[in-house]
Amino acid sequence: MTDAHTMQEVQVVTGSNPGQDMYKWACDLFPVCRSLTGDGVRTTLDYLGNVMGGLGLHEIPSGAACFDWNVPDEWNIRSAFVMDENGNKVIDFARNNLHVVGYSEPVDVTLSLDELQQHLHSLEEQPDAIPYVTSYYRRTWGFCLSHNERMALRPGNYRVVIDSTLAPGFMTYGDVVIPGRSEKTVLLTSYVCHPSMANNELSGPVLLAALARLLRSRENRLTYRLILVPETIGTIYYLSRHLEELKRTVIAGFVLSCVGDDRDYSYLPSRRGNTLADRVLRHVLDAYHPGYSRYTFLDRASDERQYNSPGVDLPVIPFARSLYRRYPEYHTSLDDLSVISPEGLQHSFETMLRCIDIMEGNQTYKCNCLCEPQLGKRGLYPTTSVKNGYGDAVRITIDSLAYCDGQTDVLGIAEAIGIPADRCIPIMERLAQGGVLSCVTD
Amino acid sequence: MTDAHTMQEVQVVTGSNPGQDMYKWACDLFPVCRSLTGDGVRTTLDYLGNVMGGLGLHEIPSGAACFDWNVPDEWNIRSAFVMDENGNKVIDFARNNLHVVGYSEPVDVTLSLDELQQHLHSLEEQPDAIPYVTSYYRRTWGFCLSHNERMALRPGNYRVVIDSTLAPGFMTYGDVVIPGRSEKTVLLTSYVCHPSMANNELSGPVLLAALARLLRSRENRLTYRLILVPETIGTIYYLSRHLEELKRTVIAGFVLSCVGDDRDYSYLPSRRGNTLADRVLRHVLDAYHPGYSRYTFLDRASDERQYNSPGVDLPVIPFARSLYRRYPEYHTSLDDLSVISPEGLQHSFETMLRCIDIMEGNQTYKCNCLCEPQLGKRGLYPTTSVKNGYGDAVRITIDSLAYCDGQTDVLGIAEAIGIPADRCIPIMERLAQGGVLSCVTD
Amino acid sequence: MTDAHTMQEVQVVTGSNPGQDMYKWACDLFPVCRSLTGDGVRTTLDYLGNVMGGLGLHEIPSGAACFDWNVPDEWNIRSAFVMDENGNKVIDFARNNLHVVGYSEPVDVTLSLDELQQHLHSLEEQPDAIPYVTSYYRRTWGFCLSHNERMALRPGNYRVVIDSTLAPGFMTYGDVVIPGRSEKTVLLTSYVCHPSMANNELSGPVLLAALARLLRSRENRLTYRLILVPETIGTIYYLSRHLEELKRTVIAGFVLSCVGDDRDYSYLPSRRGNTLADRVLRHVLDAYHPGYSRYTFLDRASDERQYNSPGVDLPVIPFARSLYRRYPEYHTSLDDLSVISPEGLQHSFETMLRCIDIMEGNQTYKCNCLCEPQLGKRGLYPTTSVKNGYGDAVRITIDSLAYCDGQTDVLGIAEAIGIPADRCIPIMERLAQGGVLSCVTD
């Protein structure tokens, strides 16, 4: 009878227009020059903490040890330009903060074009795009520009100025825990170290903020831990300080990134491949967005690398529309506010919320009697037998009960009987209220 | 060398003509009006107990509790009709006992056609068929008729009489245990609650009776427990009284139903999917009747629902030709004696007997020596080596021995080497008699 | 990024020309008349022991018990012929030692052609080939000849002489252990009981000798146990005397046979299917010789039968180009020195050496830190981030590290990330030397 199971969609309730809000936040934050450290990160975290209703901020001194790493020096930049002999600023940080290689040392020199070329970065295959380049762990300086601009540079001398500071200071990050009835925790994380690019990365932090706002506005069974860090080093630092707690409590986690465009969703498994995070995202995408792209663990490239490293082994995977590296505007000035939209952000919000709501309802039940319970005396069964069996809801009820063995969670039951878990959850909850089932989730 | 393994069929020995006997029994029992309870059930069980050489009968009082259920009141019916203003019985129970909704309360009223229509059941898509309808757990009454008959009813007043009794009494069922050398038990069950329909259900009880007669006539290794009950409530009651014993002893079981037609076999797995019942039936159908239909556990609809419920978890699956609900005559008056045949019943008898004989021989063996035994000195190996190896029987012997590790049963070995288990069994038994193998079945 | 992993071949270092050496050895040994026992075996083992730099020889008395078997009598043959009435030797052992059925009793009689025919063997479907026939365990005598020769025999009397000895004596075999730093052992075995045939069997013993010579010339992590025995009875005897030791130490083993031709490789799994021997051979063939033929365990026909028998359960599989029985010259006089070649032997040598080298490097590593180690400070990571990620070597490093969980061996890691294990091994060894990884192989 599986073919008869209606695959009717369950609507997710998202409150008033989070898509519009998220897009506005992204517009406000777009001009800020973020990096691993520095005031751009602080500005961004202050703004997001404000819209999400509170965020704990942490300042970690440069040099702090975390596993195999140390927190780098703090970088701040005020201005930077390359000026030709006529006094024209042919490259100017004030026009686009991607023009300067992240973590560039201060410099004030005059160079020939040939000498300057050693410090320039452009993309021949995308001649209109300014590439995004950083050099966090080797001291150097450089400028990025479009290949067309680079080709237009004439021989001559150029004055090069970068007014930056790269010195001991602090790395800043934010986190907040929204407690639920259980200490079982869903981890949501995104990163705040990229300058003016919209899909990667601003879409992630604004989605995280919108989810935080909603989760704070309601009662939850699960606890939510939200983290906004600089990529890699921030996550490594966070894990070095919270690993035991995270391993004890986190049941699933997602790295939110590239979630503002309108393209297909992506699924990239954890190293183990079958954690709750994998199961719920795969289930939601299978049921509601089946055209999604499937990647392997080998395609990972963001903070899931740290969460899935041996010994850390936390159930964390990316949540993304088009995956990093797989869309043309990635890591260039083309990844601007036109790549994302209120509708794209809203869609991602609804999809992640569906995952969250399914995890909220993903209990394990045990039938309170042996053999099938008598549904008829509870008004859950047709009283007159007919040739073609019973309807869809009765069928789902009977099939769900057949798997309520105290070991299979609702996601497992929904997969076994071929229906979306969010159709199954209210049926199970009604049966539990009616005394037919007991919830045995530990 | 698997391609060289002759897939030669092994003949099953069935004794004299059980197909003809079963068909005669079905003809005798066809007119009886069976239901969950009542004298029709008693008549049927008496008849079957007689032909199968003995059946224990049990009378359970109405209201008896069993798990989440209670035994319903007893229903008996003497006559019923709907008479038009001219005194014509337009519907008459005496013509076909499907005309009355099962468990109809007594009634004697005169109604307009419109009022009568509320109590009529017909099938627009099968206008010649009287549907089979029951209302066990809600008190009501009704009549079933072909859609053509229903359309022919003219406006006017109709006298409606149902001369039935629905009152505390007893539910009747029968069972018998045929002991073998081991208490390991094969459970065979069928149900006796359907009025005049042939494939579903009379084919099941007559096959069960014929198997009982044969099993009683010979020595068996396994014990056989045969049960004839009203569907669902009878099985729930039986499980509520025998669960511990069944869980301790039953290694495989089959619900016999819809086994009298000539159509393809069906395989519907248990919830766990790989019990001995699944393995042996799949093996026999794969080897001998490969065109069978494969269903999922979600398609289950008869007493396997109770046997596979969580906590009961008995290894019981249906044994059926065309599965219930999947053949056109199902649950209508069209499911008459023309749907079944002596040949169809005989074929099902042979197939179930093949399953039984394989289970009888499905021991676990361990080789008595390390390395291959020297077959040559036992006359089991060609004494002169030749270019193309040895023949089929030698190959089966060598390959079987390679899996006699004291853990793999004969079914597992037959699957591993790609031959029917009933070709493997005599080879293993001969090797055991010759001292090459020891049987380690616990 | 898996598609970017270069599948660049790793070169195996084989020393000076082993292919030429092996072919010369095969030519020297080709004329010797080998059998289960006798001086031909001793001559062969002496020769091979000499070229491989030492081989322990063992003489086992006839009748010695080993599991279900006894060592047979020793057979030696000096001459044999069939002479027609004109004194022509129409069949002469001196021309080809395949002419006499192995283990033929001495005989000196005159027979009619009809009587003689009872003792002749030929192959109608290969009329130019002398078949290879033995009768080890039933006393008889016989001659083999091409079908064309047989057809040419004219009616008349024939004098038949076989000057052989079949009497209590000894069975001879050889073995040697080349110790490594670990007592974990790779077993390499071949058999020395076939008369003048080149691919089956001389290619196996000469490959074993060449591998022994190389393994002795270098330091090894693993221990190598090399065995040259008569097929079946020799292996059964060996197992009967060494089983506990082999079970404690052997991690993988190969029966070398049919390794001198130029045809595709074969893979025939062990009974369990996933031993280290299976994994490494499958891996090497998948990565470097993907056109290989896949067989099932049921196709086994040589000493792997004994190694895989229940209770013995040693991880031993064949190593072969075209598998025994599957090439046209098999077990006939056509399997002569033209079937094998220096190039074919060299290729097999390199492939088995690649398996050996991968097993040598197949350690299990654990990352010494949590999260990803900082590769940049060790010069293993690009210092400037770019749009398209990092190169191939960095990617392999990062992906390998992701599986260094102290449980997955290098083969498992190479399979997970889709590269040849011999590309992965030097990267892991460099990381271990740099302190990033610890080797936890027990």
Side-chain angles (χ1 to χ4, degrees):
Chain A
M1 301 295 289
T2 42
D3 47 356
H5 282 154
T6 305
M7 292 301 280
Q8 169 196 328
E9 298 212 353
V10 175
Q11 294 301 313
V12 170
V13 178
T14 65
S16 63
N17 211 317
Q20 289 289 359
D21 293 344
M22 287 185 276
Y23 190 74
K24 178 184 179 305
W25 304 339
C27 292
D28 289 347
L29 290 169
F30 189 75
V32 178
C33 181
R34 280 165 294 278
S35 185
L36 283 196
T37 58
D39 291 331
V41 180
R42 292 187 185 93
T43 302
T44 302
L45 293 176
D46 281 344
Y47 182 101
L48 291 169
N50 191 43
V51 300
M52 69 200 267
L55 181 69
L57 298 186
H58 306 268
E59 296 280 350
I60 312 305
S62 300
C66 43
F67 297 141
D68 196 42
W69 301 64
N70 294 88
V71 171
D73 281 349
E74 178 172 338
W75 184 64
N76 284 289
I77 179 166
R78 286 160 293 280
S79 70
F81 59 85
V82 173
M83 184 183 287
D84 67 14
E85 294 170 355
N86 302 320
N88 298 317
K89 289 185 175 171
V90 295
I91 310 176
D92 191 352
F93 175 76
R95 289 200 291 268
N96 191 318
N97 57 32
L98 290 171
H99 274 316
V100 176
V101 168
Y103 264 61
S104 280
E105 293 183 300
V107 67
D108 186 346
V109 289
T110 298
L111 300 175
S112 70
L113 177 58
D114 280 356
E115 291 167 322
L116 176 63
Q117 288 286 8
Q118 311 307 314
H119 291 271
L120 299 185
H121 302 268
S122 66
L123 293 168
E124 195 165 352
E125 64 278 23
Q126 289 180 289
D128 292 323
I130 308 169
Y132 166 50
V133 179
T134 64
S135 180
Y136 297 136
Y137 295 99
R138 188 175 65 92
R139 296 230 159 188
T140 184
W141 60 265
F143 283 85
C144 304
L145 70 172
S146 76
H147 206 68
N148 288 337
E149 290 171 319
R150 186 177 190 173
M151 290 297 102
L153 294 178
R154 293 286 143 249
N157 289 322
Y158 290 88
R159 182 164 172 228
V160 176
V161 173
I162 298 179
D163 178 13
S164 67
T165 318
L166 179 50
F170 295 88
M171 175 179 76
T172 316
Y173 73 86
D175 69 346
V176 64
V177 172
I178 304 171
R181 295 190 297 282
S182 163
E183 85 169 346
K184 282 183 184 167
T185 297
V186 173
L187 185 150
L188 299 172
T189 181
S190 193
Y191 42 93
V192 287
C193 55
H194 286 49
S196 298
M197 288 177 291
N199 199 31
N200 179 33
E201 71 184 12
L202 276 175
S203 67
V206 300
L207 174 57
L208 184 139
L211 289 165
R213 192 176 60 172
L214 181 95
L215 290 166
R216 271 190 159 127
S217 73
R218 65 182 212 184
E219 292 272 311
N220 302 299
R221 177 172 75 91
L222 301 172
T223 292
Y224 293 84
R225 179 182 290 256
L226 293 86
I227 309 173
L228 288 167
V229 281
E231 203 179 3
T232 303
I233 183 66
T235 294
I236 291 170
Y237 181 84
Y238 197 85
L239 284 166
S240 76
R241 296 306 186 264
H242 297 278
L243 185 59
E244 287 316 306
E245 185 182 1
L246 296 177
K247 284 178 82 83
R248 196 182 70 245
T249 57
V250 172
I251 60 171
F254 299 91
V255 181
L256 312 182
S257 177
C258 308
V259 289
D261 60 345
D262 288 317
R263 291 172 277 214
D264 281 341
Y265 286 93
S266 296
Y267 167 65
L268 189 159
S270 69
R271 185 160 65 101
R272 306 209 159 158
N274 212 22
T275 70
L276 179 59
D278 295 277
R279 293 171 65 217
V280 72
L281 182 56
R282 232 162 33 206
H283 182 84
V284 165
L285 296 181
D286 282 339
Y288 291 101
H289 312 291
Y292 64 96
S293 300
R294 290 157 182 82
Y295 293 96
T296 78
F297 177 64
L298 303 180
D299 294 305
R300 78 205 179 288
S302 182
D303 282 335
E304 61 277 5
R305 285 166 53 176
Q306 310 312 323
Y307 287 108
N308 284 275
S309 62
V312 175
D313 291 318
L314 285 165
V316 178
I317 63 174
F319 176 66
R321 307 295 284 265
S322 43
L323 196 65
Y324 38 67
R325 299 183 174 175
R326 306 286 175 148
Y327 65 98
E329 305 88 358
Y330 172 78
H331 268 203
T332 74
S333 57
L334 302 181
D335 188 352
D336 61 20
L337 291 162
S338 72
V339 174
I340 68 172
S341 67
E343 295 72 27
L345 289 162
Q346 173 74 21
H347 201 280
S348 296
F349 182 90
E350 291 177 13
T351 298
M352 181 43 64
L353 188 56
R354 192 185 295 282
C355 291
I356 286 172
D357 286 345
I358 287 174
M359 289 187 288
E360 286 281 327
N362 186 41
Q363 311 259 31
T364 302
Y365 295 97
K366 189 174 190 316
C367 192
N368 287 331
C369 65
L370 291 164
C371 287
E372 292 181 345
Q374 192 181 1
L375 297 175
K377 68 187 183 190
R378 297 177 176 88
L380 299 171
Y381 202 81
T383 51
T384 308
S385 79
V386 290
K387 177 179 164 74
N388 293 315
Y390 14 76
D392 191 37
V394 173
R395 190 78 226 178
I396 293 177
T397 302
I398 292 173
D399 284 343
S400 298
L401 284 167
Y403 290 95
C404 285
D405 54 5
Q407 299 178 324
T408 312
D409 62 11
V410 174
L411 256 176
I413 293 174
E415 297 273 343
I417 71 180
I419 62 164
D422 41 8
R423 282 210 72 197
C424 203
I425 289 167
I427 292 173
M428 309 298 274
E429 290 178 344
R430 196 161 56 240
L431 289 168
Q433 285 155 17
V436 176
L437 297 178
S438 294
C439 179
V440 298
T441 310
D442 56 300
Chain B
M1 301 298 289
T2 42
D3 46 358
H5 282 152
T6 305
M7 292 302 279
Q8 168 195 329
E9 298 214 350
V10 175
Q11 294 302 313
V12 170
V13 178
T14 64
S16 62
N17 211 318
Q20 290 289 358
D21 293 344
M22 288 185 276
Y23 191 77
K24 178 185 180 302
W25 303 339
C27 293
D28 289 348
L29 290 169
F30 189 77
V32 177
C33 182
R34 282 166 293 275
S35 186
L36 283 195
T37 58
D39 291 332
V41 180
R42 292 187 186 92
T43 302
T44 302
L45 292 176
D46 282 344
Y47 182 99
L48 291 170
N50 190 44
V51 299
M52 69 199 267
L55 181 69
L57 297 185
H58 307 269
E59 297 279 351
I60 312 305
S62 300
C66 43
F67 298 139
D68 196 44
W69 301 65
N70 294 89
V71 171
D73 281 351
E74 179 173 337
W75 184 64
N76 283 290
I77 179 167
R78 287 160 293 280
S79 69
F81 58 85
V82 174
M83 186 182 287
D84 68 13
E85 294 170 355
N86 301 322
N88 299 317
K89 291 184 174 171
V90 294
I91 310 176
D92 190 351
F93 174 76
R95 287 200 291 269
N96 191 318
N97 57 32
L98 290 172
H99 275 313
V100 175
V101 169
Y103 264 61
S104 281
E105 293 183 301
V107 68
D108 186 346
V109 291
T110 297
L111 301 174
S112 71
L113 178 57
D114 280 355
E115 292 167 320
L116 177 61
Q117 289 285 9
Q118 310 308 312
H119 292 269
L120 298 185
H121 303 268
S122 65
L123 293 169
E124 194 164 354
E125 64 277 21
Q126 289 181 291
D128 292 324
I130 309 169
Y132 167 50
V133 180
T134 65
S135 180
Y136 297 136
Y137 296 98
R138 188 175 64 93
R139 296 231 160 189
T140 184
W141 61 264
F143 283 85
C144 304
L145 70 170
S146 76
H147 205 68
N148 288 338
E149 290 171 320
R150 187 176 189 174
M151 292 298 102
L153 295 177
R154 293 287 141 248
N157 289 321
Y158 290 89
R159 180 162 173 229
V160 176
V161 174
I162 297 180
D163 178 13
S164 68
T165 318
L166 180 49
F170 295 88
M171 173 178 78
T172 316
Y173 74 85
D175 70 347
V176 63
V177 172
I178 305 172
R181 296 189 297 282
S182 162
E183 87 171 344
K184 284 183 183 167
T185 297
V186 173
L187 184 151
L188 300 171
T189 180
S190 193
Y191 41 94
V192 287
C193 56
H194 287 47
S196 297
M197 289 176 292
N199 198 32
N200 180 32
E201 73 185 11
L202 275 175
S203 67
V206 300
L207 174 57
L208 185 138
L211 289 165
R213 189 176 62 172
L214 181 95
L215 291 166
R216 270 190 160 127
S217 74
R218 66 183 209 182
E219 291 272 311
N220 301 298
R221 177 172 76 92
L222 301 172
T223 292
Y224 294 83
R225 179 182 290 256
L226 294 85
I227 309 172
L228 288 166
V229 281
E231 203 179 4
T232 304
I233 184 65
T235 294
I236 291 171
Y237 181 85
Y238 197 85
L239 284 166
S240 76
R241 294 307 187 266
H242 296 278
L243 185 59
E244 288 315 307
E245 185 182 2
L246 295 177
K247 283 177 84 81
R248 197 182 69 246
T249 58
V250 172
I251 59 171
F254 299 90
V255 180
L256 312 181
S257 176
C258 308
V259 288
D261 60 346
D262 287 317
R263 291 172 278 215
D264 279 342
Y265 286 93
S266 296
Y267 166 64
L268 189 158
S270 69
R271 186 160 64 102
R272 306 209 159 160
N274 212 22
T275 70
L276 178 60
D278 295 278
R279 292 172 64 217
V280 72
L281 181 55
R282 233 163 31 206
H283 182 85
V284 165
L285 296 182
D286 282 338
Y288 290 101
H289 311 293
Y292 65 97
S293 301
R294 289 156 182 82
Y295 294 96
T296 78
F297 177 64
L298 302 179
D299 295 305
R300 77 206 179 287
S302 182
D303 283 334
E304 63 276 6
R305 286 166 53 176
Q306 311 311 323
Y307 287 107
N308 284 276
S309 62
V312 174
D313 291 317
L314 285 164
V316 178
I317 63 174
F319 176 66
R321 307 296 283 262
S322 43
L323 196 65
Y324 38 67
R325 299 183 175 173
R326 307 286 176 148
Y327 64 98
E329 306 88 358
Y330 172 78
H331 268 203
T332 73
S333 57
L334 303 181
D335 188 351
D336 62 20
L337 290 162
S338 72
V339 174
I340 68 173
S341 67
E343 295 72 27
L345 289 162
Q346 173 74 22
H347 201 280
S348 297
F349 181 89
E350 290 177 12
T351 299
M352 180 44 64
L353 188 54
R354 193 185 294 282
C355 292
I356 286 172
D357 285 344
I358 288 174
M359 290 186 288
E360 286 281 328
N362 187 41
Q363 310 259 31
T364 302
Y365 294 96
K366 188 172 190 318
C367 193
N368 287 332
C369 65
L370 291 165
C371 289
E372 293 182 344
Q374 191 180 3
L375 298 175
K377 69 187 184 191
R378 296 177 176 87
L380 299 171
Y381 202 81
T383 50
T384 308
S385 79
V386 288
K387 178 177 164 75
N388 293 314
Y390 12 76
D392 192 37
V394 174
R395 190 78 227 178
I396 293 177
T397 303
I398 293 174
D399 283 343
S400 298
L401 284 167
Y403 290 94
C404 285
D405 54 5
Q407 299 178 324
T408 312
D409 62 12
V410 174
L411 256 177
I413 293 174
E415 297 272 344
I417 71 180
I419 62 164
D422 42 8
R423 281 209 72 197
C424 203
I425 289 167
I427 291 174
M428 309 298 274
E429 291 177 344
R430 196 162 54 240
L431 289 168
Q433 285 155 17
V436 176
L437 297 178
S438 294
C439 178
V440 298
T441 310
D442 56 299
Chain C
M1 300 298 289
T2 41
D3 45 358
H5 282 154
T6 304
M7 291 303 278
Q8 168 195 329
E9 297 215 349
V10 176
Q11 294 303 313
V12 170
V13 178
T14 63
S16 63
N17 212 317
Q20 290 289 359
D21 293 344
M22 287 185 277
Y23 190 76
K24 178 185 179 303
W25 303 339
C27 292
D28 288 349
L29 290 170
F30 189 77
V32 178
C33 182
R34 282 166 294 276
S35 185
L36 284 195
T37 58
D39 292 331
V41 179
R42 291 186 187 95
T43 301
T44 302
L45 293 176
D46 282 343
Y47 182 99
L48 291 170
N50 190 44
V51 299
M52 69 200 268
L55 181 69
L57 297 186
H58 306 268
E59 297 280 350
I60 312 306
S62 300
C66 42
F67 297 140
D68 196 42
W69 300 65
N70 294 87
V71 171
D73 282 350
E74 178 173 338
W75 184 64
N76 284 289
I77 179 166
R78 287 160 293 278
S79 68
F81 59 84
V82 174
M83 186 184 288
D84 69 12
E85 293 171 355
N86 301 322
N88 299 316
K89 289 182 173 173
V90 295
I91 310 176
D92 190 351
F93 175 75
R95 288 199 291 268
N96 191 319
N97 57 33
L98 291 172
H99 274 314
V100 175
V101 168
Y103 265 61
S104 280
E105 292 184 301
V107 66
D108 185 346
V109 290
T110 297
L111 300 175
S112 71
L113 177 58
D114 280 356
E115 291 166 321
L116 176 61
Q117 289 286 9
Q118 311 307 313
H119 291 272
L120 298 185
H121 302 268
S122 65
L123 294 169
E124 194 163 355
E125 64 277 22
Q126 290 180 289
D128 292 322
I130 309 169
Y132 167 50
V133 179
T134 65
S135 179
Y136 298 135
Y137 296 98
R138 188 176 63 94
R139 296 230 160 189
T140 183
W141 61 266
F143 283 85
C144 303
L145 69 172
S146 76
H147 207 65
N148 287 338
E149 290 171 321
R150 187 177 190 171
M151 291 299 101
L153 295 177
R154 293 288 141 250
N157 288 323
Y158 289 88
R159 180 158 174 232
V160 177
V161 173
I162 297 179
D163 178 12
S164 68
T165 319
L166 180 49
F170 295 89
M171 174 178 77
T172 315
Y173 74 86
D175 68 347
V176 63
V177 173
I178 304 173
R181 294 189 298 282
S182 162
E183 86 168 347
K184 284 183 183 168
T185 297
V186 173
L187 185 150
L188 300 172
T189 181
S190 192
Y191 41 94
V192 288
C193 55
H194 287 49
S196 297
M197 288 175 293
N199 199 32
N200 180 33
E201 73 185 10
L202 276 175
S203 67
V206 300
L207 173 57
L208 185 138
L211 289 166
R213 191 176 60 171
L214 181 96
L215 291 166
R216 271 190 160 129
S217 72
R218 65 182 211 183
E219 291 272 310
N220 301 297
R221 178 173 74 92
L222 301 172
T223 292
Y224 293 83
R225 180 182 289 256
L226 293 85
I227 308 172
L228 287 167
V229 282
E231 204 178 3
T232 303
I233 183 65
T235 294
I236 291 171
Y237 181 84
Y238 197 85
L239 284 166
S240 76
R241 295 308 186 264
H242 296 278
L243 185 58
E244 289 315 308
E245 186 182 2
L246 295 177
K247 284 177 84 82
R248 197 182 70 246
T249 58
V250 172
I251 60 171
F254 299 91
V255 180
L256 311 182
S257 177
C258 307
V259 288
D261 61 345
D262 289 317
R263 291 171 279 213
D264 280 342
Y265 286 94
S266 296
Y267 167 65
L268 189 159
S270 69
R271 186 160 66 101
R272 304 205 161 164
N274 212 22
T275 69
L276 178 59
D278 294 278
R279 292 172 65 217
V280 73
L281 181 56
R282 232 161 33 205
H283 182 83
V284 165
L285 297 181
D286 282 338
Y288 291 100
H289 312 291
Y292 66 96
S293 300
R294 291 157 181 81
Y295 294 96
T296 78
F297 177 64
L298 302 179
D299 295 304
R300 79 205 178 287
S302 182
D303 282 334
E304 62 276 6
R305 286 166 55 176
Q306 310 312 323
Y307 287 107
N308 285 276
S309 62
V312 175
D313 290 319
L314 285 165
V316 178
I317 63 174
F319 176 67
R321 307 295 283 265
S322 43
L323 197 65
Y324 38 68
R325 298 185 176 172
R326 306 289 174 144
Y327 64 98
E329 306 87 357
Y330 173 78
H331 268 202
T332 74
S333 57
L334 303 181
D335 188 352
D336 60 21
L337 290 162
S338 71
V339 174
I340 67 173
S341 67
E343 295 72 28
L345 290 163
Q346 173 74 20
H347 201 281
S348 297
F349 181 89
E350 291 177 13
T351 299
M352 180 43 64
L353 188 55
R354 194 186 293 283
C355 292
I356 286 172
D357 286 344
I358 288 174
M359 289 187 288
E360 285 282 326
N362 187 40
Q363 310 259 29
T364 302
Y365 295 96
K366 189 172 189 317
C367 193
N368 287 331
C369 65
L370 291 166
C371 288
E372 292 182 347
Q374 191 181 1
L375 297 175
K377 68 186 184 191
R378 297 177 177 85
L380 298 171
Y381 202 79
T383 51
T384 308
S385 79
V386 290
K387 178 178 164 75
N388 292 314
Y390 13 76
D392 192 38
V394 174
R395 191 78 227 176
I396 292 177
T397 303
I398 293 174
D399 284 344
S400 298
L401 284 167
Y403 289 94
C404 285
D405 55 4
Q407 298 178 326
T408 312
D409 62 12
V410 174
L411 256 176
I413 292 175
E415 297 272 344
I417 70 179
I419 62 163
D422 40 9
R423 281 209 72 197
C424 204
I425 289 167
I427 292 173
M428 310 298 273
E429 290 178 343
R430 197 162 53 240
L431 289 169
Q433 285 155 16
V436 176
L437 297 177
S438 295
C439 179
V440 298
T441 310
D442 57 300

